[in-house]
Amino acid sequence: MSKYKIIIVPDPVLKQQAQPVARVDDAIRQQMDNMLETMYDAPGIGLAANQVSLLNRVLVMDLSRRNRDDEDEGEQTPEQNIGPICMANPEIVWESEEISVMEEGCLSIPQQYAEVKRPAIVRVKYLDYDGKQAELEAEGLLSHCVQHEIDHLNGVLFVDYLSSLKRSMILRKVEKLKKQEVL
Ligand code: NI
């Protein structure tokens, strides 16, 4: 396995539409493995292909190793312990009318967090690591995570849901961090 470089905003690749994969073959599995390693190293709980300059519809998630100090409210629902999930060609086939609001962050927008409103529950169809058709019903953090990662494949970032004022504030902060070479 090897690691990819994570692309930070602003970068055109984060605004582009990723293309479906024809099938999940060894090359895609290798990409999934590398993306997981990149994500664990960051560390993060989700990563989409655009974020490592690949424009195919592949994403990885792992909520089991989550450890963000400032967000631990002591509650761990079972779904948050879900281990590595690899998806190719994910597609939301159903979403609840109920809405959930949760603070999100992004490895491409480091150290910035904001509340994002999304459908509370979604059902996602995808090809798994073995190339088999699979379906996942996600709620809570997993739901936010999978919707956030699918957004990436469509060139959408979580800051796109915020007011333009809030968005430009966040992007300016990242620029400043870049200049200070913290990132
Ligand atoms: Ni992200």
Side-chain angles (χ1 to χ4, degrees), residues 24 44 46 52 63 73-74 90 115 132-133 137 147 153 162 178:
V24 178
V52 294
L63 271 53
E73 261 119 56
E115 287 194 334
K132 291 202 189 89
Q133 193 64 245
E137 187 168 290
Q147 292 181 71
L153 302 178
L162 310 178
K178 263 184 171 174

Side-chain angles (χ1 to χ4, degrees), residues 46 51 105-108 148-149 152:
Q51 294 179 276
C106 180
L107 292 176
S108 295
H148 175 123
E149 301 313 329
H152 272 301

Side-chain angles (χ1 to χ4, degrees), residues 4 21 30 45-46 79 83 93 97 129 154 178-179:
Y4 295 119
V21 303
Q30 182 72 61
I45 59 170
E79 55 101 2
V93 292
E97 277 172 38
Y129 191 83
N154 295 322
K178 263 184 171 174
K179 273 196 198 122

Side-chain angles (χ1 to χ4, degrees), residues 6-12 14-15 106-110 112 152 157 159 170-172 174-175 178 183:
I6 297 177
I7 304 300
I8 310 266
V9 285
D11 193 294
L14 296 172
K15 292 299 204 181
C106 180
L107 292 176
S108 295
I109 313 174
Q112 313 303 316
H152 272 301
L157 301 171
V159 291
I170 286 180
L171 297 179
R172 252 198 321 251
V174 174
E175 223 170 288
K178 263 184 171 174
L183 306 178

Side-chain angles (χ1 to χ4, degrees), residues 86-110:
C86 300
M87 294 185 171
N89 302 346
E91 205 185 312
I92 294 174
V93 292
W94 177 83
E95 57 185 43
S96 68
E97 277 172 38
E98 190 197 333
I99 296 294
S100 159
V101 180
M102 213 178 254
E103 194 176 65
E104 296 187 14
C106 180
L107 292 176
S108 295
I109 313 174

Side-chain angles (χ1 to χ4, degrees), residues 61 63 78-80 82 85 87 91-96 98 119-126 134-144 146-147:
M61 303 183 290
L63 271 53
E79 55 101 2
Q80 288 180 329
I82 284 176
I85 301 176
M87 294 185 171
E91 205 185 312
I92 294 174
V93 292
W94 177 83
E95 57 185 43
S96 68
E98 190 197 333
I121 307 168
V122 290
R123 212 170 292 142
V124 180
K125 242 175 65 180
Y126 62 99
E135 205 170 289
L136 172 80
E137 187 168 290
E139 60 177 300
L141 182 63
L142 184 62
S143 175
H144 275 261
V146 73
Q147 292 181 71

Side-chain angles (χ1 to χ4, degrees), residues 16-22 28 49-50 54-58 89 153:
Q16 278 171 272
Q17 185 87 19
Q19 297 308 308
V21 303
I28 295 294
N50 302 47
L54 297 169
L55 283 170
N56 57 12
R57 300 187 79 78
V58 172
N89 302 346
L153 302 178

